[in-house]
Amino acid sequence: MRNIFIAKPGYVIIEGDFVQQELKIMASMSGDAGLIEAYKNNEDIHKRSASALFKVPLDKVTDEQRSKGKNFNFAVGYGATEYAISELLLCTKEEALQYIDNWYAAFPGVKAWQYKVKQDLYINKYVTNLFGRRRRFPNIDRVAQYQAEEMEREAVNFIIQSTGNDIACLSDKYRDWETDR
C-alpha cells in the first residue's frame, strides 16, 4: 500500500507512529504508579505486564509470555471480560480471571480509574475525553445488564481512543499543509 503514495517533486512523505499511545494515555489518565514508573524508567511495559500476569521475575519472562502480556495490556485496559481473555490467551475462564486479578494487583490505579469512569457514566450519562469531547449514553440505566456492561467498556474505550485521536488531530492543526483542494 505504501507504494501507491508518491510525493510531489521536492516533497517527502514521512511515516510516524505514536508508540503505545493508548497505554500511555491510560497510564496518564489513571495515574497508575506502576505504569507511570515503567514508562519513566523506559521499561518494556509488555514484559512488566507479563511478569505480573504469570507471576515470574521480570528477567525470566519468555518471548511467548511477553507477547501474551502485550495482547493482554490492550484487552484488559479496555475492560475485556474473562471470556475474551480466555480466548485471547487460550486458557480457561478461571485462569483468565486470575490473570485479570494479577494485572490489576500490579496496576491498581487503572482499576480505580475504570471504576470511577463507570460511576460517572451512570451519574452523567456521558463520558468526556482529555480534551473535552463527550460520548453520551442516555439509556445506560434503562438497558439489560449485559448491555450496560458493554456500554461501560465502550465508555472506557472511548476515553482512551478518542484522546489518542485528538492528540493525532491536534498535531495536524499546527502543521502548514499544502493541499490540492
Side-chain angles (χ1 to χ4, degrees):
M1 285 295 293
R2 293 180 185 155
N3 294 334
I4 66 171
F5 297 98
I6 301 170
K8 290 181 184 180
Y11 289 84
V12 295
I13 296 175
I14 299 173
E15 178 182 347
D17 183 10
F18 290 99
V19 177
Q20 297 178 4
Q21 179 182 31
E22 291 87 0
L23 288 173
K24 290 175 182 176
I25 290 167
M26 186 171 57
S28 177
M29 294 190 83
S30 70
D32 183 81
L35 285 175
I36 292 170
E37 177 187 344
Y39 279 118
K40 281 184 177 178
N41 295 333
N42 242 358
E43 289 181 32
D44 181 335
I45 193 67
H46 304 311
K47 198 171 185 178
R48 184 161 178 171
S49 289
S51 174
L53 286 176
F54 302 109
K55 299 283 190 183
V56 297
L58 199 57
D59 61 340
K60 301 289 185 204
V61 171
T62 66
D63 289 344
E64 181 183 354
Q65 288 171 326
R66 184 197 179 276
S67 179
K68 288 181 177 184
K70 180 179 181 178
N71 291 335
F72 190 91
N73 277 339
F74 293 104
V76 80
Y78 299 124
T81 65
E82 68 270 16
Y83 302 104
I85 297 297
S86 68
E87 290 191 14
L88 180 70
L89 300 183
L90 303 174
C91 63
T92 67
K93 289 175 187 65
E94 292 75 22
E95 289 171 316
L97 278 171
Q98 186 60 58
Y99 292 144
I100 292 169
D101 288 345
N102 292 351
W103 195 88
Y104 280 130
F107 307 112
V110 174
K111 186 173 189 171
W113 173 73
Q114 288 175 337
Y115 181 76
K116 176 146 180 30
V117 166
K118 293 170 187 179
Q119 281 185 315
D120 291 347
L121 173 62
Y122 284 94
I123 293 167
N124 301 319
K125 309 293 187 270
Y126 66 84
V127 293
T128 307
N129 80 358
L130 187 62
F131 297 98
R133 189 169 9 149
R134 290 183 181 176
R135 178 164 177 201
R136 299 183 189 284
F137 295 85
N139 301 323
I140 184 76
D141 53 356
R142 296 190 305 265
V143 296
Q145 182 178 351
Y146 77 93
Q147 291 171 309
E149 290 169 356
E150 180 63 28
M151 288 179 180
E152 291 171 2
R153 287 188 292 278
E154 288 175 16
V156 171
N157 189 9
F158 167 81
I159 293 171
I160 296 168
Q161 292 286 326
S162 68
T163 296
N165 183 56
D166 286 353
I167 289 169
C169 290
L170 281 173
S171 64
D172 287 349
K173 288 182 182 179
Y174 300 105
R175 287 194 215 137
D176 185 19
W177 288 96
E178 182 177 315
T179 66
D180 293 327
R181 291 184 234 178

